[in-house]
Amino acid sequence: MKAVAIPAFGGAEVLRVDEFEVPEPGPGQVSIDVAYAGANFAEVLYRRGVVDVPLPFVPGIEVSGHVRAVGPEVEGLRPGQPVAALTIVDGGGYAEVVVTSADLVAPLDGLDLGLDIAAAIPSNSTTAFLVLDRAARIEPGETVLVHAAAGGVGSQLGQAARLLGAGRVAGTVGGPAKIGTARGFGYDDVVLRDELPDRVAALTGGRGFDIVVDMVGGPARRTSLDALAPMGRMIVMGNASGADDVGVSANELWFANKSVAGFNLAAFSGAFPADAGRALRRAVAAAASGDLRLQVEELPLDQAAEAHRRIESGATTGKLVLALRG
Ligand SMILES: NC(=O)c1ccc[n+]([C@@H]2O[C@H](COP(=O)([O-])OP(=O)(O)OC[C@H]3O[C@@H](n4cnc5c(N)ncnc54)[C@H](OP(=O)(O)O)[C@@H]3O)[C@@H](O)[C@H]2O)c1
């Protein structure tokens, strides 16, 4: 089968299409004929070598397609069934065939959902629900601030917050061109990230936000902490800016009644596959019913390097997916 591999860590140019053996599912697994593979910031990090994996490595943490074969001890899934799936525990989504745990699969039968959209759900939409529900433990009416609100995961977090009962939902973006896009994803307020410190009081009536989700890092991490209300929670879930880590003073948290938590979908899916699968199926249902809007742009698999370049430029909005069979 064809797959895009990372033969050596480096820039986007290291990605190359190669031939691999078709993987077979083991106990509790299924193999999937991939129609589309989501392209994410996560694969850029794998490609750069931020995550130490044996090489060559086929990246790709999510796919849509049809079940090809079902391993022993799998119930409720059958060959030919349309599915969306997380392939985040072992990677391998940029391929014609991928194997993953049956726990991390969402059936699509009977749903009004294209396979291109379905490929964009497993990572970002599932993460959005889990970050707010499990890490931030959102309560009805709470205010939420999300950074990079027009991006892949940012576009899903505001909508998931609303579905989970949030009150006002605000987003930040890096530049004015993305303000309209973020608003289109349902954010009540959208501000430039650089202007956030001056805007928090007006946005929250002087109280601060109950929840701030930061996947940008660097200066945004410090302003996120400052923007929290008493008993507020900052969720750290990425470092898209590539800045050095930002230290947080435990004493500051103590004196100001603030909390900081982290969320990582790969580690969560490895530790709690059944919970990750439930959140995936919830996200799929929300997208199919129209409660969750996704914006998808398609590129062919052999343009994976171009997808990575665009993601690294920070200029994309919504989600890029790589087409294998359309
Ligand atoms: N922890 C998890 O489980 C998990 C799951 C999904 C995603 N993530 C993380 O969330 C972040 C966003 O992922 P995504 O898939 O949504 O990617 P994305 O759509 O490409 O969003 C990244 C956004 O970050 C902002 N950004 C700020 N500085 C940047 C820089 N130097 N280079 C590139 N982008 C920069 C840009 O938005 P502005 O123009 O608005 O600044 C950019 O659009 C990544 O850090 C990713 O690792 C984590």
Side-chain angles (χ1 to χ4, degrees):
M1 67 163 190
K2 268 197 320 187
V4 167
I6 301 174
F9 297 125
E13 69 282 353
V14 302
L15 295 175
R16 63 177 39 105
V17 179
D18 226 329
E19 287 291 325
F20 286 83
E21 294 288 317
V22 172
E24 296 295 334
Q29 294 181 324
V30 298
S31 62
I32 297 168
D33 284 320
V34 178
Y36 292 91
N40 294 282
F41 211 97
E43 290 98 74
V44 171
L45 299 180
Y46 280 104
R47 198 206 66 219
R48 289 177 184 164
V50 172
V51 186
D52 195 18
V53 289
L55 298 172
F57 177 74
V58 178
I61 63 176
E62 60 183 345
V63 299
S64 66
H66 294 88
V67 174
R68 177 187 178 92
V70 172
E73 298 156 32
V74 173
E75 288 175 13
L77 294 170
R78 55 178 164 71
Q81 195 170 18
V83 291
L86 279 166
T87 56
I88 196 165
V89 177
D90 297 311
Y94 289 15
E96 288 180 317
V97 183
V98 67
V99 162
T100 193
S101 162
D103 282 332
L104 300 178
V105 174
L108 302 175
D109 332 52
L111 298 179
D112 184 16
L113 206 54
L115 287 175
D116 53 346
I117 299 285
I121 297 170
S123 171
N124 288 337
S125 311
T126 305
T127 295
F129 280 105
L130 287 170
V131 159
L132 293 162
D133 196 11
R134 298 292 294 271
R137 298 176 191 275
I138 188 170
E139 296 283 346
E142 286 195 317
T143 53
V144 178
L145 175 73
V146 175
H147 290 298
V153 75
S155 66
Q156 301 304 290
L157 276 156
Q159 298 181 79
R162 188 91 64 212
L163 293 171
L164 291 167
R168 224 164 161 78
V169 180
T172 77
V173 290
K178 291 187 180 178
I179 290 178
T181 312
R183 280 198 189 283
F185 286 118
Y187 283 92
D188 297 308
D189 306 295
V190 181
V191 298
L192 296 178
R193 195 166 310 117
D194 287 348
E195 296 177 359
L196 179 66
D198 299 328
R199 302 291 301 278
V200 174
L203 290 172
T204 63
R207 207 180 146 264
F209 290 95
D210 297 307
I211 296 168
V212 180
V213 183
D214 179 26
M215 70 299 269
V216 171
R221 197 142 294 167
R222 184 62 247 174
T223 52
S224 297
L225 201 54
D226 294 340
L228 284 178
M231 298 309 290
R233 290 87 73 201
M234 173 169 85
I235 311 302
V236 175
M237 57 160 294
N239 187 35
S241 67
D244 289 342
D245 201 4
V246 174
V248 173
S249 153
N251 281 355
E252 179 186 347
L253 302 180
W254 162 32
F255 283 115
N257 284 308
K258 295 179 178 180
S259 300
V260 177
F263 182 82
N264 181 293
L265 183 64
F268 186 92
S269 301
F272 309 107
D275 291 9
R278 247 190 309 279
L280 166 61
R281 290 184 284 278
R282 176 186 203 173
V284 163
S289 69
D291 285 342
L292 202 57
R293 194 172 79 75
L294 292 102
Q295 175 197 309
V296 165
E297 186 184 341
E298 177 180 330
L299 288 173
L301 180 71
D302 59 11
Q303 286 189 31
E306 168 64 13
H308 277 217
R309 283 188 199 99
R310 287 200 207 171
I311 291 170
E312 284 175 288
S313 78
T316 58
T317 57
K319 182 72 170 255
L320 293 174
V321 295
L322 301 171
L324 286 104
R325 292 188 178 79

